[in-house]
Amino acid sequence: MNVFINLLVADLERSRAFFTALGFTFNDDFSDEMTLGMEIGGNCYSMLVTRERFATFTLRPLADAHETTEVLVSLQLESREAVDAFMETALAHGAEALREPQDYGFMYSRDFADLDGHIWEPFWLDPAAAAAAAAKEGAAAASDATAAEEGAS
């Protein structure tokens, strides 16, 4: 399965420069004066689309991503350092940081709004530590449920 994320953008060339700085590439076979085909990785792509073209894709009103959240694009990176580097590059090219880094031990994430307000969340995840944390939470929830049942008796 391939995934295509369509994002409304105000200025295609400005968006191309921004996302090129972040390391993304573009497929000119899927680009024209109203659309840029951006390769995110694996089988995931984004179509960066002008307002005029985007309006032909839906009968609903178009969201202003600077005012409302219409999508969160999360990108798993190989390390915490890669997350920080990705974030710093985005900020250096005009992105807006939206909150402080989130550090859960097994997962580390940051988030920014791109030039058009779309939210991107680069993150790092240690799968073994995430599984251990989930198992611990599950055991704690089961213990709490048992205590609640015993208290109700």
Side-chain angles (χ1 to χ4, degrees):
M1 176 185 305
N2 293 327
V3 176
F4 289 86
I5 303 165
N6 293 284
L7 298 174
L8 188 152
V9 300
D11 183 325
L12 290 175
E13 289 311 310
R14 187 171 167 229
S15 293
R16 181 189 289 265
F18 176 79
F19 287 108
T20 296
L22 288 173
F24 294 108
T25 58
F26 293 86
N27 184 333
D28 289 330
D29 291 338
F30 294 99
S31 301
D32 60 26
E33 68 281 349
M34 298 178 92
T35 307
L36 288 175
M38 184 173 79
E39 299 173 355
I40 294 176
N43 292 333
C44 189
Y45 308 88
S46 181
M47 301 303 288
L48 306 179
V49 187
T50 63
R51 176 169 288 281
E52 296 77 21
R53 167 88 36 93
F54 200 97
T56 68
F57 295 169
T58 181
L59 298 176
R60 292 183 175 185
L62 302 182
D64 177 349
H66 292 286
E67 299 296 325
T68 186
T69 301
E70 89 292 19
V71 66
L72 301 174
V73 182
S74 298
L75 304 172
Q76 185 175 3
L77 302 180
E78 63 276 0
S79 68
R80 297 167 65 95
E81 295 78 18
V83 169
D84 287 337
F86 192 87
M87 182 73 174
E88 295 310 315
T89 300
L91 295 175
H93 288 86
E96 174 191 359
L98 298 178
R99 62 181 175 176
E100 293 299 314
Q102 304 296 300
D103 190 348
Y104 302 100
F106 62 88
M107 184 173 82
Y108 176 76
S109 67
R110 299 189 64 184
D111 60 348
F112 64 86
D114 69 18
L115 305 176
D116 293 287
H118 307 293
I119 300 173
W120 294 77
E121 298 181 323
F123 73 97
W124 165 82
L125 176 71
D126 178 340
K136 184 177 179 182
E137 282 185 27
S143 176
D144 290 346
T146 301
E149 287 176 12
E150 290 173 356
S153 308

